[in-house]
């Protein structure tokens, strides 16, 4: 019994009451300022940093808009650290109003200048292009250039070339 | 084979110390059982004392091999000197020859199967992660100390103390063998019980039903505690029956108290042992029950109090890791507890209609099977016709009472001996029926038979790893084949410098690494770190909704925002709280003191200027929750700003200010809301927050949420993969200077 009392007393010496209030903690340096991150592997077009990803052939859009019109060869950069078990996926649309009479349209996707895949869409509407990516097509230590090429585009009355609408695209892990 | 030598030495020495302590106790109490039962009862009762002894050594920082071995030798020597180990002369009625043969033919193959599995490297999920993970940690640090980042360290650890004694000499397998002792003690005590009540055949058949049961076997050879719990409870039952026969021996009452207390020390869910004991005593002693009850209270307290006091002191909750609503503390989250309990009460079982077949035949949802013969368990109710049957079913009822709190198959084990005996007692009136049922069960429980009816991943024994048991084949190879995360645990050990912390979201075999590994769900700290990590991945958690609560300009010493809604299904969370005056933010000052109700200890997360952290109430919303700033002097203010996630209501808050007399007044509050643009740099902000919170590494297993993103966007996070073992990835979080030096 004496032993138990000593043991319990030893434990109680470690007892500390909780405070009833706390001081202001160290302030973290977060703000709405420039983004310290690099480019990501997947781009959703409502990302405020979208312009940083785009290289050419995208039409302007207001910040935060969740989709973009492209011209015939939209090109952008994406960054991925992984090369194994990767799939490329793009989600977009050929609007009925503009593209109905234009179809079929062939979409080719090039990664770092090499052909990843090609698909012909026979009807207007939403589309998802996806294809597994061989590791040798990707660069891990730098940006990967992604180019989407269309064999034809709709030319609006004001002369603007409208290739397709893109909502999101990039690299994902394959399950 | 030095490893085998140490395993056997650790096992035998610890077993002998338990036996010696039990023999001394029974001698001092002047309690004597039959020659057949005595060594087993010495072991079981001695385990309670040995566990207590190791607990005390831990508190005194004496976990050294020499001390533990020395203590065991002293105890064995003392028992020998006292003559306590002399076997009594009285014997139970002899076993019929046929029954003996049945026991040998059916029992010996399972005994061999269990022995070689118990001696093989410990590879059970919970045994290798926390049961022995904690034991290894305590032993490494030579003391019992608070491990408030692991909720399992808050459970009563009576069994872990026994493991520790054996681990000190023979490491993991010696510890598992201590559980194996209870696996062989339990059926033997059941056989003896059958002989006591004049039903030896029923006793043997029931013992085989329990011993060969697949879940009992796999649990009993692992560093778990369920079979020990069942054995202990059955020993208590034996003692209670003995009290009924000889109520004048108060030594038996003390013994019942010791065993009831140790039941709690082994497993919280065995607390009904105390009630069962009380009911038995009330039945036996009637009006004279007060003294025996006091004796039981005192003798059980010896085993219970150390764990309760430990939890009060280290966890601020005597019943940690549960009941955090009654005992709020910074170590466990009530919100997590609600979900955790709900999960244990349901697992993935689609419906209760599936329960009987799942626990007996399939083992698909509830982990482990009792064996198809237990589908006949309802016949146990017919034993109510006999007095033994009524006693057995009363005990079964008590130990099934806590089962709904965790419906895993192994949580049926403590009640199983009683149910099995009641079943075979019912069948005893039909000649050969108990033997037939036992043989059928044994055949169906053979490792080759089980896959024919259960799901292939049911938790069971499937091999005879005798080469691994004797360490003829390498331990490393066996563990790699059994534990998918063993390799990454070893990689952590090699690659993570001592003292650095690794955050993960699933268990790894911590018994095989000395690395400090925090599992997200195992503590309030872990859950908080997980919440921060997920903020980078889930946009809906970003505090982009700005609420400005305007009040008439006032000078005050303190201000609070009170939440007015009642909704038990959702928490209130605040990313940042800021105070304003005349369109300028009142600068946060060292004089400020922050308070909140509830979850005061998390309040700083709403004042750290980080969008990666948030204060969560840890309770469902109720009117009157608040978050408060005491300025420490008078401040002029006219608005409070809350930055919250989009899932938070935009209204239902008011501001209160403290007047000069200390009373809180409620000025008219007007709420303006505005959605802010998304934040940038959240991934990196999360990494820096984790580093600030002393986490330097992160481990993601294949099923962990966020692994894909970390792999794809390693540079965005600012992490470096340093190991990939079997799909588990270990990342080093790059400190700020290294991240900023990365090429863009």
């Amino acid at each position: 019994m004496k032993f138990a009392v000593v043991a319990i007393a030893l434990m109680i010496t470690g007892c500390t009451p909780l405070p009833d209030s706390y001081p202001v903690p160290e302030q973290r340096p977060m703000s709405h300022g420039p983004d310290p991150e690099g480019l990501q592997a997947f781009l959703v077009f409502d990302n405020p940093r979208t312009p940083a990803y785009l290289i050419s052939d995208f039409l302007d859009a207001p910040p935060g808009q969740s989709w973009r019109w492209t011209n015939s060869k939209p090109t952008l950069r994406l960054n991925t650290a992984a090369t194994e078990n990767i799939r490329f996926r793009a989600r977009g649309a050929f609007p009925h109003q503009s593209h109905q009479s234009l179809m079929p349209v062939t979409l080719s996707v090039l990664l770092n200048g090499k052909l990843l895949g090609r698909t012909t869409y026979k009807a207007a509407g939403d589309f998802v292009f996806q294809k597994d990516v061989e590791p040798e097509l990707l660069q891990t230590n730098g940006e990967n250039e992604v180019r989407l090429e269309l064999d034809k585009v709709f030319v609006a009355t004001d002369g603007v070339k409208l290739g397709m609408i893109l909502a999101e695209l990039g690299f994902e892990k394959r399950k | 084979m030095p490893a085998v030598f140490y395993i056997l030495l650790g096992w035998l020495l610890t077993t002998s110390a338990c036996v010696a302590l039990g023999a001394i106790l029974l001698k001092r109490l002047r309690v004597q059982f039959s020659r057949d039962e005595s060594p087993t009862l010495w072991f079981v009762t001695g385990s309670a004392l040995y566990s207590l002894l190791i607990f005390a050594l831990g508190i005194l920082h004496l976990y050294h091999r020499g001390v533990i071995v020395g203590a065991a030798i002293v105890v064995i020597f003392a028992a020998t000197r006292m003559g306590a180990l002399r076997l009594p002369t009285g014997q139970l009625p002899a076993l019929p020859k046929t029954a003996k043969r049945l026991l040998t033919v059916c029992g010996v193959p399972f005994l061999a199967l269990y022995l070689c599995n118990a001696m093989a490297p410990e590879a059970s999920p919970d045994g290798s992660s926390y049961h022995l993970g904690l034991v290894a940690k305590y032993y490494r640090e030579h003391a019992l100390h608070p491990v408030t980042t692991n909720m399992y360290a808050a459970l009563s650890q009576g069994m872990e103390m026994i493991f520790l004694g054996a681990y000190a000499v023979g490491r993991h397998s010696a510890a598992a063998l201590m559980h194996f002792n209870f696996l062989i003690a339990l059926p033997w005590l059941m056989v003896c019980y059958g002989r006591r009540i004049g039903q030896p055949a029923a006793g043997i058949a029931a013992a085989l039903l329990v011993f060969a049961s697949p879940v009992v076997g796999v649990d009993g050879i692992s560093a778990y505690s369920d079979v020990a719990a069942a054995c202990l409870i059955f020993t208590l039952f034996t003692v209670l029956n003995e009290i009924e026969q000889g109520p004048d021996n108060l030594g038996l009452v003390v013994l019942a108290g010791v065993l009831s207390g140790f039941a709690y020390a082994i497993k919280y869910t065995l607390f009904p042992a105390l009630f069962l004991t009380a009911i038995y005593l009330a039945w036996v002693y009637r009006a004279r029950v007060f003294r025996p009850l006091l004796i039981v209270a005192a003798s059980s307290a010896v085993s219970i109090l150390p764990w309760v006091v430990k939890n009060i002191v280290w966890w601020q909750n005597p019943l940690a890791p549960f009941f955090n609503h009654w005992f709020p503390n910074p170590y466990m989250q009530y919100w997590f507890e609600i979900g955790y309990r709900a999960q244990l009460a349901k697992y993935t079982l689609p419906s209760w209609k599936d329960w009987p077949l799942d626990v007996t035949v399939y083992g698909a949802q509830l982990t482990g099977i009792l064996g198809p013969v237990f589908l006949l368990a309802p016949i146990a109710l017919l034993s109510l016709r006999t007095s033994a049957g009524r006693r057995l079913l009363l005990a079964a009822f008590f130990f099934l009472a806590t089962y709904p709190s965790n419906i895993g198959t192994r949580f049926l084990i403590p009640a199983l001996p009683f149910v099995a005996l009641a079943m075979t007692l019912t069948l005893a009136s039909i000649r050969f029926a108990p033997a037939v049922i036992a043989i059928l069960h044994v055949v169906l429980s053979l490792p080759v038979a089980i896959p024919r009816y259960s799901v292939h991943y049911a938790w069971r024994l499937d091999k005879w790893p005798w080469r691994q048991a004797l360490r003829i084949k390498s331990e490393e190879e066996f563990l790699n084949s059994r534990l998918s995360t063993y390799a990454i645990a070893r990689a952590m050990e090699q690659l993570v410098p001592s003292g650095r912390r690794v955050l993960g979201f699933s268990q790894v075999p911590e018994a095989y690494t000395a690395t400090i590994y925090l599992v997200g769900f195992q503590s309030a700290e872990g859950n908080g770190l997980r919440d921060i990590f997920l903020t980078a991945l889930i946009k809906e958690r970003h505090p982009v909704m700005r609420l400005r609560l305007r009040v008439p300009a006032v000078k005050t010493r303190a201000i609070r925002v009170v939440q007015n809604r009642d909704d038990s299904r959702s928490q209130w969370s605040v990313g940042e709280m800021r105070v304003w005056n005349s369109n300028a933010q009142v600068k946060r000052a060292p004089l400020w003191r922050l308070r909140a109700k509830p979850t005061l200890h998390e309040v700083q997360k709403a004042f750290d200027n980080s969008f990666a952290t948030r204060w969560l109430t840890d309770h469902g919303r109720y009117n009157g929750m608040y978050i408060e700033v005491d300025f420490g002097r008078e401040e002029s203010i006219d608005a409070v700003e809350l930055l919250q996630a989009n899932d938070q209501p935009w209204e239902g808050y008011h501001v209160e200010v403290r007047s000069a007399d200390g009373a809180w007044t409620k000025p008219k509050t007007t709420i303006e809301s505005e959605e802010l643009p998304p934040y940038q740099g959240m991934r990196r902000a999360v990494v820096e927050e984790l580093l600030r919170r002393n986490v330097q590494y992160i481990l993601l297993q294949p099923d962990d949420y966020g692994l894909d993103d970390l792999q794809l966007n390693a540079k965005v996070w600012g992490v470096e993969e340093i190991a990939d073992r079997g799909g588990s990835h270990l990342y080093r979080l790059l400190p700020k200077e290294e991240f900023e030096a990365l090429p863009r």
Side-chain angles (χ1 to χ4, degrees):
Chain A
M1 185 55 85
K2 277 181 199 164
F3 198 60
V5 171
V6 171
I8 289 166
L10 280 171
M11 282 172 55
I12 289 171
T13 55
C15 188
T16 49
L18 283 179
D20 79 328
S21 64
Y22 287 84
V24 174
E26 172 201 344
Q27 296 297 289
R28 278 57 163 168
M30 285 204 78
S31 68
H32 294 272
D35 193 344
E37 291 182 344
L39 301 180
Q40 299 172 21
F42 199 89
L43 172 65
V44 181
F45 278 84
D46 65 359
N47 185 327
R49 291 200 69 209
T50 296
Y53 289 77
L54 309 184
I55 297 174
S56 62
D57 255 15
F58 282 90
L59 272 62
D60 287 340
Q65 182 172 295
S66 60
W67 51 272
R68 287 266 182 158
W69 268 112
T70 74
N71 286 157
S72 60
K73 291 178 184 170
T75 309
L76 71 162
R77 54 177 81 93
L78 294 166
N79 205 341
T80 171
T83 56
E84 301 290 335
N85 293 323
I86 299 290
R87 179 176 65 186
F88 176 82
R89 183 168 67 85
R91 188 169 64 82
F94 296 105
H96 286 277
Q97 285 173 323
S98 52
H99 283 62
Q100 188 82 46
S101 57
L102 198 67
M103 307 308 280
V105 171
T106 298
L107 168 66
S108 306
V109 178
L110 291 89
L111 293 186
N112 300 311
K114 292 176 186 162
L115 184 67
L116 171 69
R118 180 175 287 140
T119 304
T120 299
Y121 296 97
K122 291 180 180 156
D126 295 342
F127 73 85
V128 175
F129 174 95
Q130 59 182 28
K131 187 139 181 29
D132 293 349
V133 181
E134 294 301 323
E136 54 271 21
L137 287 180
L138 291 168
Q139 292 174 12
T140 52
N141 295 327
E143 296 159 1
N144 286 281
E145 187 186 281
V146 180
R147 190 153 59 133
L148 294 86
E149 292 185 356
L150 297 167
D151 64 341
K152 51 187 118 152
V153 294
F154 174 76
V155 182
T157 49
D158 55 3
V160 177
K161 289 176 185 171
L162 299 174
M164 63 185 157
I165 284 173
L166 282 177
E168 58 185 25
L169 79 169
F171 303 114
E172 298 176 322
K173 288 293 280 183
R174 208 160 62 211
K175 296 294 176 194
Chain B
M1 288 187 287
V4 175
F5 171 76
Y6 284 113
I7 290 167
L8 294 176
L9 182 67
W11 174 37
L12 294 175
L13 192 68
T14 312
T15 306
S16 307
C18 291
V19 168
L21 279 169
I24 293 172
L25 177 70
L26 264 64
K27 188 173 172 68
R28 294 294 294 265
L29 294 176
R30 297 175 199 285
V31 170
Q32 213 174 55
F33 288 88
S34 69
R35 191 182 181 86
D36 312 80
E37 292 165 305
S38 284
T40 315
L41 291 174
W42 289 341
F43 167 71
V44 180
T45 52
S47 298
L49 302 188
Y50 184 77
S51 172
L52 214 54
L53 171 69
I54 298 292
F55 178 89
L57 291 179
I59 294 297
L60 297 171
H61 292 227
L62 288 175
Y63 284 161
H64 297 275
R65 184 182 285 182
V67 175
I68 290 168
V69 170
I73 291 170
V74 167
V75 164
I76 296 164
F77 180 72
T80 316
R81 278 286 298 261
M82 287 170 69
L85 293 169
R86 214 168 293 135
L87 282 171
T89 47
Q91 283 186 299
L92 292 172
L95 279 175
K97 271 187 185 166
T98 339
K100 243 185 199 170
R101 257 183 234 131
L102 176 71
L103 189 62
T104 312
V105 171
C106 295
V108 169
F110 279 89
L111 187 68
L113 172 73
Y114 294 160
L115 179 62
C116 71
N117 272 284
M119 263 187 81
E122 166 62 20
S124 64
D126 291 357
S128 66
S129 57
Y130 67 87
H131 284 297
L132 291 188
L134 288 166
V135 164
K137 187 175 174 63
Y138 297 147
Y139 185 67
R140 223 169 21 242
E141 295 167 10
H142 306 299
L144 259 184
H145 56 79
V147 187
T148 49
T149 51
N150 186 340
M151 64 177 179
Y152 299 115
L155 296 169
S156 51
Q157 294 181 295
M159 195 62 200
E160 280 77 359
M161 296 298 98
I162 297 172
F163 291 155
L164 200 145
Y167 179 91
V169 180
R171 296 291 182 262
H172 309 75
S173 296
L177 280 164
M178 289 310 294
H179 198 211
F180 166 78
N181 282 352
F182 289 95
L183 177 62
I184 49 177
L186 173 62
W188 179 244
L189 288 175
M190 292 174 71
V191 169
C192 292
Y193 177 79
R195 292 158 76 185
R196 275 169 171 267
I197 61 168
Q199 295 281 0
I204 285 179
L208 287 170
L209 287 186
V210 171
F211 189 55
S213 172
V215 74
V216 173
V218 68
D219 187 294
I221 59 93
S222 308
Y224 278 50
S225 58
D226 308 281
V227 177
C231 182
L232 181 73
I233 292 305
F234 199 80
T235 307
L236 172 66
F237 181 73
T238 305
V239 171
L240 291 175
N241 280 299
E242 195 72 3
I243 291 174
E244 235 185 316
Q245 305 302 318
D248 295 337
N249 187 348
L250 287 179
L252 282 168
V253 177
V254 175
L255 193 57
V258 169
L259 293 169
S260 309
F262 189 47
Y264 178 91
I266 279 194
K267 232 175 170 54
Y268 277 174
T269 48
L270 298 189
F271 73 88
L274 289 163
F275 296 110
L276 179 70
T277 304
I279 282 185
Y280 250 87
L281 294 182
W283 170 255
V284 172
Y285 292 97
R286 315 263 165 157
R288 298 177 296 118
V289 73
F290 187 65
R291 190 166 173 229
L293 279 183
L294 272 184
I295 292 172
V296 163
S299 51
S300 62
V302 174
S303 285
I304 296 173
L305 274 182
W307 302 106
V308 172
V309 173
K310 182 208 80 166
N311 279 358
I312 292 172
V313 176
W314 287 345
W315 292 78
Q316 291 157 24
N317 173 2
L319 303 172
F322 303 108
F323 300 98
N324 297 293
H325 185 56
W326 294 355
F327 305 101
N329 62 80
Y331 310 114
M332 282 303 296
Q333 289 181 336
Y334 172 61
W335 198 255
F336 165 78
E337 184 194 334
I338 297 171
Y340 182 63
R341 280 173 177 243
Q343 186 209 331
L344 294 181
K346 182 88 170 55
Y347 280 61
T348 48
L349 196 67
S351 144
W352 277 102
K353 281 186 290 182
D354 302 309
W355 178 81
L357 281 172
D358 202 82
V359 296
T360 52
V361 181
Y362 299 137
Q365 314 293 338
L366 300 176
T367 323
I369 51 171
L370 299 172
V373 162
F374 279 98
L375 280 170
L376 298 175
I379 63 167
L381 291 172
L382 295 176
S383 72
L384 283 168
R385 291 171 304 174
T386 64
S387 73
R390 285 192 289 276
R391 281 161 179 75
L392 289 164
L393 289 177
L394 175 73
F397 168 77
F398 269 85
F399 297 106
L400 284 173
T402 52
Y403 176 69
S405 65
N406 187 337
I407 62 167
T409 308
R410 68 187 173 92
F411 286 81
L412 288 167
I413 294 176
L416 203 61
F418 305 107
V419 174
L421 274 163
M423 284 169 70
T424 54
L425 274 184
T426 300
L427 295 171
S429 53
I430 309 166
R431 207 175 172 203
F432 299 125
V436 168
I437 206 100
I439 291 167
L440 177 66
H441 177 66
V442 163
V443 171
L444 289 172
S445 300
L446 289 169
V448 289
I450 298 171
R452 294 176 189 275
Y453 56 84
S454 78
V455 297
H456 74 279
Y457 54 84
W459 191 44
R460 63 195 169 82
L461 295 175
D462 56 353
K463 290 199 169 73
W464 296 69
W466 64 272
R467 285 188 190 86
Q468 289 83 355
L470 296 174
R471 301 310 191 264
I472 295 168
K473 278 204 163 180
S474 95
E475 198 169 305
E476 200 84 359
E477 188 188 316
F478 180 76
L479 289 168
N480 265 320
S481 69
R482 290 294 176 103
L483 293 168
S484 60
T485 48
Y486 175 76
I488 198 74
R490 296 302 302 156
M492 280 201 299
E493 171 97 8
Q494 288 153 11
L495 300 170
V496 176
S498 165
R500 301 293 175 160
R501 302 205 303 172
V502 182
L503 172 67
F505 305 112
S506 310
Q507 293 186 152
V508 300
E510 288 181 65
Y512 295 103
T513 176
T515 308
I516 308 170
Y517 179 65
L518 281 90
V519 186
F521 70 87
Q522 287 181 353
S523 65
E525 185 186 0
N527 273 310
L529 293 168
R530 182 171 182 270
D531 190 64
I532 291 169
F533 176 73
L534 291 179
T535 303
L537 300 167
I538 304 172
K539 272 188 185 171
E540 291 70 26
R541 290 191 177 196
H542 295 188
V544 291
M545 182 54 58
R546 177 159 66 196
L547 298 185
R548 194 157 285 178
L549 290 83
R550 293 195 182 280
V551 291
V554 63
K555 275 195 160 186
T556 180
R557 288 184 71 87
I559 189 165
R560 61 168 58 152
V561 175
V562 181
Q563 194 282 143
N564 307 128
R565 288 185 179 220
D566 288 308
D567 178 3
S568 60
R569 294 160 305 167
S570 69
Q571 299 183 77
W572 180 25
S573 73
V574 176
E576 280 295 302
M577 173 171 157
R578 292 167 178 159
V579 184
W580 290 74
N581 183 40
S582 308
N583 291 327
Q585 189 183 337
V586 179
K587 204 173 167 202
R588 290 167 178 164
L591 269 182
W592 287 22
R593 299 298 297 183
L594 313 173
R595 294 190 185 89
K597 181 189 161 189
T599 324
L600 164 65
H601 56 271
E602 290 278 292
V603 68
Q604 288 178 310
K605 286 181 175 173
F607 294 89
D608 59 3
N609 199 41
S610 168
F611 306 132
T613 62
R614 56 180 181 162
W615 169 71
L616 283 155
T617 49
D618 192 30
H619 285 70
R621 290 168 175 276
Y622 60 81
N623 184 10
M625 293 174 148
Y626 66 81
I627 183 163
E628 174 189 318
V629 181
D630 184 331
F631 302 115
R633 64 177 177 215
E634 287 220 318
E635 283 282 0
S636 298
I637 63 113
D638 62 10
V640 178
E641 180 182 285
L642 296 182
L643 293 178
Q644 303 189 142
N646 262 328
D647 62 354
Q648 298 293 306
W650 298 8
E651 52 191 24
Y653 310 93
H654 72 261
V655 172
E656 291 182 2
V657 293
R658 201 167 70 199
S659 55
D661 61 358
W664 289 94
T665 58
K666 193 173 159 183
K668 183 174 167 29
T669 306
T670 318
I671 304 179
E672 297 165 5
S673 58
E674 180 193 0
E675 190 163 353
L676 302 172
Y679 297 119
Q680 301 182 0
M682 284 298 266
R683 289 182 179 85
R684 184 57 206 169
V686 161
V687 168
E688 293 198 357
E689 191 59 39
L690 294 177
L691 284 165
R692 205 171 278 121
R693 290 169 185 272
N694 194 22
V695 172
Q696 294 83 18
Y697 295 83
I698 194 160
L699 171 64
L700 291 173
Q701 296 182 28
D703 291 334
D704 288 336
Y705 185 70
L707 174 61
D708 291 355
D709 197 89
L710 219 68
Q711 284 186 292
L712 291 165
N713 298 308
K715 280 190 177 172
V716 179
W717 289 85
V719 297
E720 174 197 12
E721 184 179 292
I722 58 169
D724 169 7
R725 303 280 190 281
S728 295
H729 298 259
L730 179 62
Y731 290 93
R732 183 172 72 91
L733 310 185
L734 300 182
K736 196 172 180 186
E737 44 296 358
E738 276 189 59
F739 174 70
E740 286 171 354
L742 284 178
R744 300 280 161 197

